[in-house]
Amino acid sequence: TVLFDTGSSNLWVPTVSAGKPMYFNPNASSTYEPLGQVFHIRYGSGPVWGYFCRDTVAIGDLNLRNFTFAHVDDASTIRNYDRTPFGGVLGLGFPSISMGNVPTVMEVLAQSGQMAEPVFAFYLANSRSGELVLGGVNTAHFVGDMVYVQLVLAAWWAVRLDGVKVGELELQPEARIAIIDSGTSLLAGPEWEVERIAKHVGAVAESSSYRLPRCHEGLPSLTFTLGGRDFTLAGKDLVLGSGI
């Protein structure tokens, strides 16, 4: 299993040495080709080292023959890797940030003509199964019109951050670019700007998170203006377990 990550552009999978129940076994593949080139990438949760190789990669009904990816023997350098439900990472970022300058999965899929459209779409569900569509969009998962936001940097999925609003209070962030990153479950930002938001909602710092000293009912909404469009999270959506 892999994490589909818009914050990176490489595909790597674990070998049996990584300790995951599902792994890649080069010896069991008749099409495996070692390349003898070291692979290295650094995530926010830590670095990973491995080796590049070529083999056939299958994602559902989609097949990439002779595709270059990496296999990793030890991924314990990633924080809490032993507790993650995934073994490897499939990057959905742009070629400009691909380690080793190898082609990306989406780049090769688009060139192969296997997809109806050169797009992918996530449905991030709450308390039920989510979905990733490669080559289209499942219209059953949204209402209204699709909203498009112009990219400002074709490396990560980076868009213009025009403003942040807590309830009706407008904050003018110094950070002007936001990255849409499917590889993380949390909202992250410059420390002092996050502290400003926490202060306005009454949260106090506790270890690596913030805690509300009162019931979160009545918590103000949080609005991000991206590319001139407002995207609002209700107060209840800001709370993860007992923290914010």
Side-chain angles (χ1 to χ4, degrees):
T1 56
V2 294
L3 171 70
F4 292 90
D5 177 27
T6 58
S8 64
S9 296
N10 292 84
L11 168 64
W12 65 266
V13 293
T15 63
V16 64
S17 301
K20 290 293 184 176
M22 299 184 69
Y23 56 86
F24 173 60
N25 182 0
N27 296 324
S29 174
S30 61
T31 52
Y32 167 76
E33 179 188 351
L35 298 180
Q37 180 184 351
V38 174
F39 165 73
H40 173 243
I41 190 168
R42 178 174 292 276
Y43 302 102
S45 54
V48 171
W49 287 268
Y51 293 93
F52 281 109
C53 65
R54 289 195 186 104
D55 208 337
T56 298
V57 174
I59 309 170
D61 295 329
L62 304 173
N63 286 279
L64 302 176
R65 298 182 184 278
N66 207 32
F67 185 77
T68 301
F69 62 100
H71 57 74
V72 172
D73 294 329
D74 181 8
S76 61
T77 45
I78 293 182
R79 187 169 59 251
N80 298 325
Y81 178 73
D82 59 332
R83 288 184 281 169
T84 63
F86 60 88
V89 173
L90 193 157
L92 292 169
F94 290 87
S96 59
I97 59 170
S98 173
M99 299 296 102
N101 294 314
V102 301
T104 69
V105 168
M106 281 299 295
E107 181 183 9
V108 176
L109 279 176
Q111 293 170 354
S112 73
Q114 295 181 70
M115 300 188 300
E117 299 177 86
V119 301
F120 62 87
F122 284 100
Y123 169 61
L124 304 179
N126 186 7
S127 70
R128 54 181 169 175
S129 296
E131 183 181 66
L132 168 64
V133 177
L134 297 175
V137 175
N138 187 344
T139 57
H141 291 317
F142 70 92
V143 295
D145 297 325
M146 187 75 74
V147 175
Y148 294 91
V149 178
Q150 183 69 38
L151 288 178
V152 297
L153 183 64
W156 302 272
W157 290 87
V159 297
R160 192 176 79 241
L161 176 62
D162 298 315
V164 177
K165 187 163 61 174
V166 179
E168 296 303 315
L169 177 65
E170 293 191 16
L171 307 176
Q172 294 300 322
E174 288 190 7
R176 286 300 185 181
I177 294 178
I179 294 173
I180 312 302
D181 184 4
S182 65
T184 180
S185 302
L186 303 175
L187 299 174
E191 183 176 1
W192 80 272
E193 300 216 50
V194 173
E195 288 178 349
R196 271 205 307 166
I197 294 173
K199 178 180 178 181
H200 286 298
V201 300
V204 294
E206 184 175 286
S207 184
S208 59
S209 63
Y210 288 88
R211 183 175 296 276
L212 292 167
R214 56 180 173 79
C215 177
H216 69 267
E217 292 183 5
L219 194 65
S221 60
L222 180 62
T223 300
F224 295 95
T225 305
L226 305 175
R229 299 293 296 264
D230 287 348
F231 297 87
T232 300
L233 296 170
K236 62 181 177 62
D237 297 324
L238 302 177
V239 178
L240 177 65
S242 58
I244 180 172

